[in-house]
Amino acid sequence: MSSQVLVGYSSSSSSEDETSAQISGCYEKVQKKNSSDGELGKSEVLHDVPQTSRSQICLPVPDSVLNMFQDSKEEHCSDDSAQHGGRVRSFPHERGNWATYVYMPYEANEEFFDLLDLLLSHTRTCGLSLVRMEEFHISLSQTVVLRHHWINPFMQSLRDRLLPVHRFFCVIDQVKVYTNQEKTRTFLGLAVSSGHAQILELISEVDRVLEEFNLQTFYKNSSFHISLAWCVGDLSDKLHGRCLQDLQEMVDHFEDASVLLRCHMQQICCKAGNKIFSFPLR
């Protein structure tokens, strides 16, 4: 704690002004003596300070004490949208709050990226430049906020709920256009055409965990999908109509699309801040 904080808690009586003057005079006396006789020990300095003032002298707090309660694993995130490609946070970042969501990961292979490049090339002819997603997954929850001390019990509860769930296959072959709730981003995605029942079973279990922590559950009547690419703003109109039909035809006629877009879902993941937790299915 700094000396300024301590001064803020003190009164402004005249007796304290006199004491401060006495302390200042003592230090001036010590400094003069130091220049001729060398440095004095702490006991000599306190010897000249009035008895009523010794308790008010503050020594600096070591850095090890000041930093001992900082969470070294927690990352500060900037709210400057210019640093995130124009993306806007749906809620402000606060120390101790961890943005968290549950999802099924999709491992993209070389053929998948070939298909994606073909789709994105066509969207440019429709007057829209999209940014490819860094990772691909099917969301099983909204993004919610966990306090740091909730993370471990939340993950344990999630693990217990998912323990009896079996692995399954789903098909993602329907081209769809999405926007986020705030209408600040537009997404091109591949929606699930087979495997809805199994995904709904997963979401039911995830929702129960969210309810335990009084967090918002998943959207009702949601379209399960993998987001492929995005752009800033609500530009969905440019992708609808003829452009969307062309994109669907590209997917339907892509070589080995029926095998490529049939996904074996073997694990569920949960990302909280910079940590990823994995839960294998049976």
Side-chain angles (χ1 to χ4, degrees):
M1 187 176 291
S2 65
S3 59
Q4 292 178 334
V5 175
L6 291 177
V7 170
Y9 284 102
S10 64
S11 65
S12 58
S13 63
S14 59
S15 61
E16 290 185 351
D17 291 339
E18 293 173 0
T19 299
S20 298
Q22 290 176 322
I23 295 174
S24 177
C26 290
Y27 278 111
E28 289 179 3
K29 178 181 178 181
V30 169
Q31 289 173 350
K32 291 178 180 178
K33 193 169 184 180
N34 282 345
S35 61
S36 58
D37 299 335
E39 293 187 359
L40 295 176
K42 292 182 180 179
S43 59
E44 294 177 273
V45 175
L46 292 176
H47 178 75
D48 290 328
V49 176
Q51 180 67 31
T52 57
S53 305
R54 294 180 187 177
S55 61
Q56 299 180 14
I57 297 176
C58 298
L59 298 176
V61 180
D63 290 340
S64 58
V65 176
L66 291 173
N67 298 326
M68 67 186 299
F69 297 111
Q70 293 183 359
D71 187 350
S72 59
K73 295 183 179 179
E74 182 178 348
E75 294 182 349
H76 276 293
C77 299
S78 170
D79 288 332
D80 185 0
S81 63
Q83 298 182 16
H84 305 283
R87 290 173 288 179
V88 179
R89 287 184 178 277
S90 56
F91 48 82
H93 169 76
E94 295 181 15
R95 175 176 283 276
N97 284 353
W98 292 61
T100 303
Y101 61 95
V102 184
Y103 61 94
M104 292 187 295
Y106 174 77
E107 297 296 333
N109 56 24
E110 185 177 351
E111 289 78 10
F112 181 83
F113 285 114
D114 289 341
L115 173 59
L116 181 52
D117 289 340
L118 183 64
L119 297 177
L120 296 185
S121 176
H122 187 69
T123 61
R124 287 191 287 271
T125 67
C126 300
L128 197 58
S129 180
L130 300 177
V131 179
R132 190 164 72 181
M133 300 294 293
E134 297 178 358
E135 59 180 24
F136 306 96
H137 65 262
I138 298 175
S139 296
L140 298 177
S141 78
Q142 300 188 53
T143 299
V144 296
V145 177
L146 282 184
R147 299 296 295 171
H148 184 266
H149 60 278
W150 290 356
I151 293 177
N152 286 339
F154 182 89
M155 298 307 164
Q156 184 58 54
S157 182
L158 193 59
R159 188 185 308 277
D160 294 342
R161 286 288 181 183
L162 297 176
L163 193 61
V165 180
H166 290 270
R167 301 177 183 183
F168 64 95
F169 286 93
C170 69
V171 178
I172 48 166
D173 58 0
Q174 301 297 307
V175 182
K176 299 286 185 180
V177 180
Y178 303 91
T179 57
N180 59 358
Q181 282 186 307
E182 297 79 16
K183 302 293 183 181
T184 57
R185 284 207 285 169
T186 301
F187 297 86
L188 179 67
L190 286 175
V192 173
S193 62
S194 176
H196 287 90
Q198 292 88 340
I199 296 176
L200 285 172
E201 178 186 356
L202 281 171
I203 289 177
S204 176
E205 298 301 330
V206 173
D207 278 351
R208 292 184 181 184
V209 176
L210 293 168
E211 289 171 347
E212 288 178 23
F213 291 81
N214 294 319
L215 297 172
Q216 192 168 11
T217 56
F218 201 45
Y219 308 108
K220 301 301 180 183
N221 303 317
S222 179
S223 173
F224 309 126
H225 67 279
I226 290 177
S227 293
L228 303 176
W230 63 276
C231 66
V232 174
D234 183 0
L235 303 178
S236 55
D237 288 344
K238 289 189 176 183
L239 287 172
H240 283 298
R242 184 60 195 175
C243 183
L244 190 61
Q245 294 176 20
D246 292 341
L247 294 172
Q248 185 63 61
E249 289 179 5
M250 291 177 180
V251 170
D252 294 339
H253 294 95
F254 190 78
E255 185 177 3
D256 295 328
S258 59
V259 176
L260 175 64
L261 301 178
R262 187 171 186 264
C263 311
H264 189 198
M265 297 304 179
Q266 306 179 66
Q267 65 174 331
I268 306 302
C269 292
C270 182
K271 185 171 184 179
N274 60 341
K275 299 180 178 181
I276 297 179
F277 300 83
S278 178
F279 310 97
L281 300 180
R282 296 181 62 184

